Structures are given as structure tokens and as C-alpha cells.
Amino acid sequence: MDDLQVNRRLVIPARDIQMEAVTGSGPGGQRRNRVRTKVVLWFDLEACQALGPHRLARLRTRLGHRLTAGGKLSVAC
């Protein structure tokens, strides 16, 4: 995976982002139980040095309910 360029001044290093394909939950029949239909993106806020203290504090405030105990942000699609 390449680095994630958010804008001209902010680039998130690929080492701070992990993607994982998992089996999705919910309706969909037997095929859904066998196929990895969901992608989870993990972003390690605590390890990311590109954010800086101001951006880090802002993300913690706005997305605190989505952070794990280790400070990782989880986004599922």
C-alpha cells in the first residue's frame, strides 16, 4: 500500500495504516458466510508522527468513540 496523501501538507505513512478483509455479518445467504466481503481499515493514531499534537487531539475528540483502547481508529466498509 502507498502512503495516503490527505492534502498538500498532510501525508499519512502506509506503515500506520493496515487493511484486513473479513467475513461480513448480516443477511446474504450461505455465500456471505464463506466470502470475505468486508474490509476493515485500521489507522494507528498513536504511532502516526505525521499528525502532530493539534491534529491528534482533534481526532481524539471527534472520533474518540471509534478508537480502540490502543488508540487505533477502525473504519469498516
Side-chain angles (χ1 to χ4, degrees):
M1 179 187 329
D2 295 334
D3 292 346
L4 176 63
Q5 184 164 359
V6 178
N7 58 35
R8 285 183 283 152
R9 296 182 299 168
L10 179 60
V11 177
I12 306 295
R15 69 177 175 269
D16 295 331
I17 302 172
Q18 297 173 342
M19 284 194 322
E20 179 181 9
V22 297
T23 305
S25 61
Q30 291 182 5
R31 175 177 161 80
R32 185 167 183 121
N33 297 333
R34 292 178 290 152
V35 179
R36 294 174 182 248
T37 57
K38 178 177 171 182
V39 175
V40 179
L41 178 88
W42 296 96
F43 174 44
D44 193 349
L45 291 176
E46 302 303 321
C48 186
Q49 297 177 358
L51 292 176
H54 177 69
R55 285 188 178 127
L56 184 59
R58 187 173 171 189
L59 286 171
R60 280 188 195 135
T61 301
R62 289 187 165 192
L63 302 173
H65 64 283
R66 299 192 70 177
L67 297 177
T68 66
K72 289 187 178 184
L73 174 65
S74 162
V75 178
C77 180

